[in-house]
Amino acid sequence: MSCSFSIIIPALHESSTINRAIDHINSICSDFQVELIVVDGDPEESTIRLITDEKVIRLISPKGRGKQMNTGASRAKGAILLFLHADTRLPENAFSFIADVMDKKEYIGGAFELGIKSDRRVFRLIEKSVSLRTRFTRIPYGDQAIFIRREVFDRINGFQEIPIMEDVDLMRRIRKSGYKISILPEKVKTSPRRWEEEGIIYCTLRNWIIVLLYLFGAKPEKLAKYYYADWDD
């Protein structure tokens, strides 16, 4: 199957990593039609003004991944939308893996297993817990590189523009609609920086509690204040 991809990266203060992220995508996508869109949540354009690749589409949006990713999707031309965090790297043959899945009409999208770029054993435990959670709930998170057919994304009205849990909300709506997703066994590699900066135990427990509170009805606007240190309404 010949797939066209739009990779949408929501970014906020990612000047130190954005060009490495773009270079990595360019190094693995040569056999596919890929457009790359970076949506900066900083009105001062602190991330996109440092992008060196002229082919990258650069957009500005109010901060919040849901808003930023919807902004990117509104400009995307690809048949497959892939939402990628700036500090997450796709596996070497990511586009072939996705194309193989999209060739099976029963799947409308999916995500990868989570890998964490660290040799510390504790991160292998986190990876395992994420794998078990994802396969049990069929709700992958945003750092697992969610991909989806464009027409389905439009049909379900994209991401809710909430400050947090936009990925969980999207996947719950996909599941409730009866659509089928594929969890690919290959791993993305995401940065351990948040765990290392905040403390592994604190960060992990905080994330679990936020998800549980959201599932029990807590407002994303309130939960965002516990996740983002600089969040304001």
Side-chain angles (χ1 to χ4, degrees):
M1 176 183 180
S2 177
C3 290
S4 60
F5 295 88
S6 293
I7 302 177
I8 299 164
I9 301 178
L12 185 65
H13 308 310
E14 295 285 2
S15 58
S16 64
T17 192
I18 192 63
N19 282 308
R20 291 197 300 274
I22 293 168
D23 289 346
H24 181 260
I25 293 167
N26 286 334
S27 74
I28 65 172
C29 73
S30 58
D31 294 334
F32 293 88
Q33 182 182 344
V34 175
E35 70 172 356
L36 183 51
I37 302 170
V38 179
V39 188
D40 199 336
D42 178 7
E44 297 183 1
E45 305 181 11
S46 60
T47 297
I48 60 172
R49 61 185 170 84
L50 294 180
I51 292 175
T52 57
D53 186 340
E54 294 298 326
K55 299 187 298 298
V56 175
I57 298 170
R58 296 166 239 198
L59 304 175
I60 292 289
S61 164
K63 72 177 181 179
R65 282 189 177 133
K67 293 178 181 179
Q68 291 171 247
M69 291 187 289
N70 282 343
T71 296
S74 72
R75 286 285 302 273
K77 297 178 181 178
I80 308 299
L81 306 180
L82 193 162
F83 299 96
L84 185 68
H85 291 185
D87 63 352
T88 298
R89 302 291 178 264
L90 294 168
E92 191 72 21
N93 296 313
F95 297 102
S96 294
F97 297 141
I98 296 172
D100 288 345
V101 169
M102 294 293 94
D103 199 28
K104 301 169 184 175
K105 298 301 183 182
E106 67 265 32
Y107 293 115
I108 59 88
F112 292 88
E113 291 278 11
L114 180 69
I116 302 170
K117 291 183 286 186
S118 173
D119 293 330
R120 298 177 66 181
R121 289 186 178 182
V122 66
F123 288 120
R124 303 294 80 78
L125 295 175
I126 293 174
E127 290 173 358
K128 187 64 175 177
S129 69
V130 169
S131 178
L132 292 172
R133 183 212 73 216
T134 301
R135 293 186 177 281
F136 176 73
T137 66
R138 312 304 293 176
I139 298 179
Y141 292 176
D143 53 8
Q144 293 172 252
I146 291 170
F147 55 91
I148 184 172
R149 297 185 193 275
R150 173 59 187 264
E151 70 268 20
V152 176
F153 184 81
D154 290 341
R155 194 179 303 148
I156 63 175
N157 298 315
F159 288 98
Q160 278 203 61
E161 296 190 350
I162 50 180
I164 195 171
M165 297 289 112
E166 75 291 329
D167 47 359
V168 175
D169 171 79
L170 178 77
M171 300 313 296
R172 289 178 81 195
R173 283 187 284 127
I174 286 173
R175 189 177 67 177
K176 288 179 180 178
S177 297
Y179 292 122
K180 189 175 181 181
I181 65 167
S182 174
I183 307 300
L184 294 171
E186 294 76 20
K187 291 182 179 181
V188 295
K189 289 292 185 179
T190 197
S191 170
R193 61 183 178 176
R194 190 158 193 128
W195 285 284
E196 292 177 343
E197 289 170 0
E198 299 181 349
I200 293 172
I201 294 175
Y202 168 79
C203 188
T204 301
L205 291 177
R206 187 271 318 277
N207 292 349
W208 288 351
I209 290 169
I210 286 176
V211 171
L212 286 173
L213 289 173
Y214 173 72
L215 294 177
F216 279 104
K219 298 294 185 183
E221 292 75 16
K222 291 186 177 181
L223 296 175
K225 296 177 181 179
Y226 296 98
Y227 189 79
Y228 299 110
D230 59 347
W231 186 264
D232 50 47
D233 293 328

